[in-house]
Amino acid sequence: MIVIVFGLAACTNGSAGSVGSSGLAGTAGTAGSAGTAGSAGSGARYSLVRLERKALPQEVKLPAQLAAYEAVNIFPRVNGYVKDVFVDVGSRVRKGQLLMELEAPEMEQAVVQARERYARSKLDYAISSENYDRMRRAAETPGAVAPMGLASLRAKADADSALCNAEKANWEMQRAVLAYLKVKAPFDGVIAERNVHPGALVSAEGKDNKPMLDLRKVDRLRLQVEIPEGIAGGLEDRDTVVFYLSAYPGKRLTGHVNRRSGVVNSQYRAERMELDVNNGDGRLAPGMYADVLFSSRGNARAFTVPRAAVVTSTERKYVVVVRGGRTLRVDVSTGNESAGQVEITGDLNEGEEIVARANDEVPEGIVVK
């Protein structure tokens, strides 16, 4: 009897343990399912910003450089020897002023020969023309002159006329080439470089050689600056620009946007702009470095959002917009940036909401409340 009682007790304890274990597991599984469903139904919560079109003014500082308003390297047009050089480095010259003189005796002889050939052809034409005129007057008498003879004289006169014109053109061409021996200034400026001296042989074919002279116009300069494409769109012609030169610390200078290339450099993603700078006193010089400061009014068609709302990766730049209650990544381009705000443009609509503090861990397609 004692053995039977202990066996029943053991069976009773094992059944109770099984029932208890089964009940705990079922409860835990139910609770877990309920928690997941509740999370999916409630949706993710993010701080949102409503899109509004608003330009963002910004003060931009960019490097720039002064360049001559006009610059030219002077090479010889003909072969010859340098006879005289009338200028040197730093010489100020006027347009049309004689800078150098070359000599080429063979060219001078060619001009003389061309002139003599023209004079001879001119005399030949005068004689043949006179013969034709006389025969034409004689032909007015019926039977006095054979028609074939008159036609031959006219052809001879026309041929001599054409030859005379050709010799005249050749003479004028030789004189024009001879004029290349006198090198004159194409505009007002300063001689920045001189590479030849009297007696030197110069050649028109040696284009890889150094120029004889380097002439630059410096009473008016160009301030050249590369503007990032995101900022260039907010600038307009005649906008005032402030700049400072390293050569004159603290000296505030101003200029206006006079020219813009209209082409964005594919390497630097910037557009070249130029300002005209008056240099009547000659204190400035081409090549000087400058810091350009200007106020960009911004893009009135852009949306201004917190900088943290824009996600930048190696592949793209985007914001997370909420459409239809779900997140969607939209690629954007940025513009002016100031005080934690940035301009953006893209496939966005005014009044839409975007995530104020976004990152690449915010997935697409989740419900946002």
Side-chain angles (χ1 to χ4, degrees), residues 159-178:
D160 288 345
S161 175
L163 180 60
C164 180
N165 291 335
E167 293 294 347
K168 180 181 180 181
N170 180 59
W171 176 48
E172 291 177 347
M173 182 192 70
Q174 294 294 341
R175 287 198 303 170
V177 172
L178 186 64

Side-chain angles (χ1 to χ4, degrees), residues 38-81:
S39 176
S42 60
R45 294 185 179 276
Y46 295 102
S47 177
L48 304 179
V49 175
R50 189 175 298 277
L51 293 176
E52 295 182 2
R53 297 190 186 276
K54 180 182 178 182
L56 182 63
Q58 179 187 20
E59 186 174 72
V60 183
K61 179 180 179 180
L62 295 170
Q65 183 174 336
L66 287 173
Y69 191 78
E70 291 181 322
V72 62
N73 291 327
I74 300 178
F75 290 90
R77 298 285 299 273
V78 295
N79 301 334
Y81 290 92

Side-chain angles (χ1 to χ4, degrees), residues 8-9 26 75 77 91 123 130 156 160 179 240 267 280 289 302 342:
L8 293 173
F75 290 90
R77 298 285 299 273
S91 299
L123 290 175
E130 180 66 20
K156 179 67 168 58
D160 288 345
T240 301
Q267 182 178 2
Y289 179 83
V342 63

